[in-house]
Structure formats: C-alpha cells, structure tokens
Amino acid sequence: MSPLPARRRVAVVGTGAIVSGSHLPALRAHADRTELVAAVDVDQPRLDAFRELAGADVAGYTSMDAMLEAVRPDLVLIGTPPSLHREQTVAALKAGAWVLCEKPLTLSLAEYDEIAAAEEASGTYASVVFQHRYGSGAVHARELIASGELGAPRVAHCQTTWHRDAAYYAVPWRGTWASEGGGPTMGHGIHQYDLLLHLLGPWTEIRAMAARLVHDTESEDVSTALVRFENGALATVVNSVLSPDEVSRIRIDCADATVELTHLYGHRNEDWTYTPAPHVDSERAAAWRTPTSDVPSSHTAQLGGLLDAYDSGLRPPGSGPDARATLEFAAALYKAAFTGSPVHAGEIGPGDPFYPAMHGDHPHWAPKERA
C-alpha cells in the first residue's frame, strides 16, 4: 500500500469573515491533509481574534512577505480585498506556494496574465474560488450535458438577483474600480455565470447593457447580457444587487430535458431539478435525478479538489485558461455594455482598453479624479 500524501502546510492571508467562516471550516474538514501554520492580517486585533479561533499553534504576521520568508508554506489561501489579489498571489507563487484565492482573482485580464507568467516561472499554480462548480449536483449536471444525455443545449438563463444596501457600500474598498474591479458583474454574479460556462462550455459572442440605478458607486449595480455559445445555445445573464427577493438560478433547456438550479449562496442535490421532454420515457428520466452522493457546493469541496491535484502534481481545477475564461467573460460583458457593440471571444487583448481595466477608460464609466 502506498503511503498517504503529506499534510500540506497552509497559511491564510486576510482573516475576515470569508476566511474564518469558509476557509477555516474547509481546512478543518481536511485536517488529515492540511495543517494551518500561519495567518496574516494588517489589523492586529482581527488577527488575534482569528488565531484564538483557529488555535494557538497558528503563527501570526502583519506582513505577508515576512510570513512567506519565515514559514515557506505549501499552500496560501487569500481572502483579502480584490485589489490586493494580484500582488499577493504573485508573491506566494514566487515563494514556491500554491494559491487558492477568493474571486475575482484579479481586476483585469492584464493582471491575470501577470499571474500566468508567475505560474510558469515558479512551477506552482493559482486557483480562484468558484465553489459552486464542486457540489455533486453541478458535477452530475455537467456530466449529463457533456455526454449528450440531455440532448443538445438550446436555451439558458443565468440569474444572480441579490440585494445590497447603502451600508454595504459604505465599506471603503467597495464600489470602486480600483478596489473591486467592477460591480455585481465582477463581485456577485461571477459565481453563477462561472457555473454556466462550466456547464455549457465556450461562448462566442456577447451583447450587454449595464446601469447605475441606485447606488453611489463608480461601477454598475445591474447588468444584463445576451450570450451565444459555441454549441449554438443562446443565454441570458442577469447580475443585480437591487433585488429584494434574492435568488441565484441557472436554467438550461436541452433537446431532451430542462435542468434547473435554484438556490442562493450554495446548493445541494435537492436544489437541482430535471424536467424531461414529452418524448423521453420515465425510466431514462429517472436516472438523471439523483447523483450517488450529496456534496454541497462549498470551499470544502473545492479545497479537496485542489489537494487532489497537489498530490498528483497536476494543474488544479479553477486555474489557468479555465479560470481566465470566466474573467474574459466579465471583461467582454463590460465592453459590450459600455460600447453598445457585440464582443467576440478572444478579441480583448493587449492594446484593447478593456484589457488593463474593466471600465475600459470609457468616459461615462472610468473613475473620476477626486478633489
């Protein structure tokens, strides 16, 4: 019998709610494979509170560089504001660590390509947190669609209609291009349309609109898009923080069935439904409904997939070209919305104003100089 893989030495950067509420439980669920050895936060009281929660053996640092030099972790989990992600991810990669970073991994495609270059130079990998891909319901749906069991995909709908009030945007790093990279298109709906892309594959064309209807922010508070996929399917995508009745939803109508996911911030098997077309017999339809296990979408599930890749020496899921495609979709949505013209996959690159910034330096959307 081959020996079990070594426990990976893990550091967390940022000790706020997402790390204490999601990453720490994920590490505890994988305690046989991970050891939390360090935490970094510029806020000393918050760092102290996290260390008390996580355990006395976790070393505390207010400098990421000092932590990387002293600890040399195998894996770094990053849960800081988005504007810090590129710099911190590159630093961790250069130190020889793998990275799992909260979304968005970067604020632009240009920044993402800097991380790709750092990966190539270091031989390590950076994954972005897209935990909704990893629930058993999503795995099952993707297998059914990819195998052709549900027939050809034809029509899809992706909806992130959430609600955020003025107090939410009173947090200093929210609502600006420099700190978040965008509004609900980047910070909220990205989870759902990442799952849509994961299920349907490459897109080819997008047309979109965006507006700032309520909140006093630089970026949008609602966006909508029409999308054509490589397989011929047409989809609508809605991203909103103006919706009192909050819901996250994906619906895909295939030739032989409609598959629908309705949830809010996470899903289980029971949140997925399959409705067969009239010509499909009941025995075939019954086989679609229940995966063999019920794994909730979660940081725990995604961390498990990353650790499997680490143990095998393979590129982890949610990294590289796969994760870049989701960021490219965001950039294309903004470009289509702000210019009023359709955008095709692959057209945003160096020299395009939407490559270094999601606002594309558009006169109606670019940040204004403050007095």
Side-chain angles (χ1 to χ4, degrees):
M1 178 181 295
S2 60
L4 292 173
R7 292 175 73 199
R8 306 302 175 186
R9 299 172 68 255
V10 181
V12 298
V13 179
T15 59
I18 193 65
V19 172
S20 59
S22 296
H23 287 282
L24 184 57
L27 290 168
R28 286 172 171 164
H30 293 288
D32 58 330
R33 308 177 69 185
T34 64
E35 177 188 8
L36 180 59
V37 295
V40 180
D41 203 304
V42 295
D43 185 321
Q44 187 70 54
R46 187 168 57 203
L47 175 61
D48 293 341
F50 178 81
R51 292 178 66 205
E52 184 175 347
L53 178 66
D57 294 337
V58 178
Y61 296 85
T62 55
S63 162
M64 182 176 177
D65 288 342
M67 181 278 291
L68 291 173
E69 178 66 27
V71 177
R72 294 290 173 181
D74 301 310
L75 173 64
V76 175
L77 309 181
I78 297 177
T80 53
S83 61
L84 301 174
H85 289 176
R86 179 202 56 80
E87 179 182 358
Q88 292 173 340
T89 297
V90 169
L93 292 171
K94 287 183 175 179
W98 285 34
V99 175
L100 179 61
C101 180
E102 282 296 323
K103 55 77 188 165
L105 179 57
T106 63
L107 302 185
S108 69
L109 287 170
E111 285 192 355
Y112 194 96
D113 289 345
E114 288 184 48
I115 288 178
E119 282 188 330
E120 185 173 355
S122 66
T124 52
Y125 298 112
S127 290
V128 60
V129 174
F130 285 134
Q131 72 270 24
H132 293 319
R133 296 182 178 195
Y134 299 90
S136 53
V139 173
H140 182 62
R142 188 169 191 252
E143 289 173 348
L144 290 174
I145 294 170
S147 69
E149 174 58 29
L150 303 183
R154 291 175 173 168
V155 182
H157 173 69
C158 178
Q159 173 185 350
T160 303
T161 41
W162 294 357
H163 190 269
R164 298 293 183 265
D165 59 15
Y168 176 85
Y169 285 104
V171 175
W173 59 267
R174 289 184 176 139
T176 69
W177 293 106
S179 59
E180 283 197 294
T185 307
M186 277 285 275
H188 304 83
I190 195 168
H191 277 302
Q192 268 356 270
Y193 63 72
D194 172 74
L195 180 53
L196 182 74
L197 297 174
H198 188 60
L199 294 173
L200 286 184
W203 60 277
T204 60
E205 180 184 354
I206 183 169
R207 300 166 185 256
M209 292 188 291
R212 189 189 300 114
L213 298 180
V214 173
H215 294 294
D216 182 19
T217 58
E218 290 182 347
S219 51
E220 85 291 357
D221 52 20
V222 61
S223 68
T224 63
L226 302 175
V227 187
R228 188 186 308 276
F229 281 83
E230 198 173 272
N231 59 22
L234 299 179
T236 61
V237 176
V238 179
N239 308 294
S240 165
V241 288
L242 307 179
S243 308
D245 183 12
E246 294 189 299
V247 69
S248 304
R249 179 177 293 123
I250 286 178
R251 171 177 169 144
I252 301 173
D253 297 321
C254 299
D256 295 341
T258 292
V259 55
E260 186 167 7
L261 166 66
T262 303
H263 67 117
L264 187 53
Y265 300 132
H267 57 78
R268 306 187 68 105
N269 289 351
E270 64 188 17
D271 299 315
W272 294 80
T273 59
Y274 292 84
T275 303
H279 64 268
V280 174
D281 65 68
S282 58
E283 184 176 347
R284 179 185 171 197
W288 300 337
R289 299 182 191 284
T290 308
T292 55
S293 61
D294 190 2
V295 178
S297 64
S298 64
H299 287 66
T300 298
Q302 180 162 1
L303 180 59
L306 184 146
L307 292 170
D308 289 344
Y310 198 128
D311 294 344
S312 301
L314 301 173
R315 172 175 286 282
S319 69
D322 181 27
R324 190 185 189 281
T326 300
L327 196 68
E328 182 191 6
F329 184 90
L333 194 156
Y334 281 125
K335 182 177 180 178
F338 296 170
T339 65
S341 299
V343 175
H344 296 87
E347 77 172 57
I348 300 176
D352 188 300
F354 289 87
Y355 179 70
M358 292 290 173
H359 55 71
D361 206 27
H362 189 277
H364 295 157
W365 288 96
K368 304 294 190 295
E369 289 190 13
R370 300 180 186 274

